Amino acid sequence: MSVVTEDHVVPGPHGAVPVRFHRPSEPTDAALVWAHGGAWVGGDLEMPESDWVARQLACRGVTVLTVDYRLAPLPDWMANGLASNLAPRPAQNHPYPVASQELTAVFRWATRAEPGLRWTLGGASAGGNLAAGAALRLRDEGDQADPGEADPGDEGAVQPVSLLLVYPVAHAELPPLTPELEDRARQHPELDEFRPEAVTAMNLNYVRDAERLADAYAFPGGHDLSALPPTFVLTSDLDLLRASGQAFGAELAAAGVDVLVVRENGARHGHLNVPDDPAAARSIERIANWLLSPLHRPR
């Protein structure tokens, strides 16, 4: 199946937001607004976690809209660490809530641009965080609308049919590691880049103000998750951030949300940014099957 790409700019609360449609030659009604990762400080529409993922899903019939959201500042201590494998990009200074608000605005725009599609909201790593926060924004703004007066043109009435979170950063502080994950960490010292203190520092760099770590839209983990749409949480086996994805999946289930949590065995954090990794191909198949499942159709 061939894929056609179209670049657009979408009006956003902080200026125009570049986006890219990936349209399959034989589309289904499944569609995805997708946010790349990069610790909120790196990444763009060209990185594999954005472009390659979108093309792979589009080849399977899913219309994908990728989002080039504004980035938080890149501190010196991260320049040669977490962001070292990301494409160079001019330094930006747009901490929370800029990217969260932009993803929310783009999702609303997408549902109006293609109203006949079943739109899922999703992202990887920091993008998974943004997707979860945007889903909470959309839920809360929808709750504020009068059900008797809401219509598809009402901004508050827009909701995703489902939520896709790939190795997400869902919590302001990394939840306690399970004994199994602690054992993984002892066997693989290279996983230390996502030790609790590193995650806290990364998250604080994103929000810039310690008080904002408690904001549910910034870090949904530990907050009210009721009434969110069906959610697929895909985690990486060799990844300490799996503690956040696993805990978030449990919190979703406790809140009454339909949730599927899958661990990609042998995979490392960010494996969707490495197309040659067999784990990336397996994850694409899992994601595509889930997006195309008839279970996603409105009941």
Side-chain angles (χ1 to χ4, degrees), residues 88-281:
R89 188 171 174 182
Q92 297 191 31
N93 187 16
H94 303 285
Y96 176 83
V98 173
S100 176
Q101 293 172 341
E102 288 187 330
L103 186 60
T104 308
V106 169
F107 185 83
R108 290 198 191 99
W109 179 87
T111 62
R112 291 175 177 76
E114 302 285 348
L117 298 179
R118 297 182 294 114
W119 284 101
T120 291
L121 179 56
S125 193
N129 164 281
L130 295 175
L136 286 185
R137 289 181 185 276
L138 293 164
R139 178 202 66 182
D140 294 347
E141 291 168 8
D143 286 347
Q144 294 168 10
D146 185 336
E149 298 178 359
D151 61 60
D154 180 0
E155 288 191 356
V158 175
Q159 301 290 326
V161 299
S162 57
L163 189 59
L164 169 62
L165 309 177
V166 180
Y167 37 82
V169 188
H171 298 81
E173 295 184 357
L174 190 68
L177 304 185
T178 63
E180 176 269 335
L181 197 47
E182 283 281 13
D183 186 57
R184 284 291 206 201
R186 285 191 292 270
Q187 296 176 24
H188 299 273
E190 69 275 13
L191 303 186
D192 282 353
E193 65 176 349
F194 288 121
R195 278 290 179 182
E197 59 273 17
V199 173
T200 299
M202 177 182 70
N203 293 351
L204 183 57
N205 179 72
Y206 167 49
V207 298
R208 311 301 285 181
D209 181 345
E211 290 187 0
R212 283 190 155 175
L213 291 171
D215 188 326
Y217 300 150
F219 294 100
H223 294 279
D224 176 18
L225 305 179
S226 61
L228 284 179
T231 302
F232 180 18
V233 180
L234 178 65
T235 66
S236 298
D237 181 22
L238 302 175
D239 177 13
L240 297 192
L241 277 174
R242 173 155 61 88
S244 183
Q246 290 176 167
F248 196 64
E251 292 169 16
L252 287 165
V257 176
D258 291 338
V259 60
L260 171 66
V261 181
V262 174
R263 179 180 68 189
E264 194 64 78
N265 286 334
R268 297 181 181 275
H269 187 83
H271 65 271
L272 288 183
N273 208 37
V274 187
D276 292 338
D277 186 341

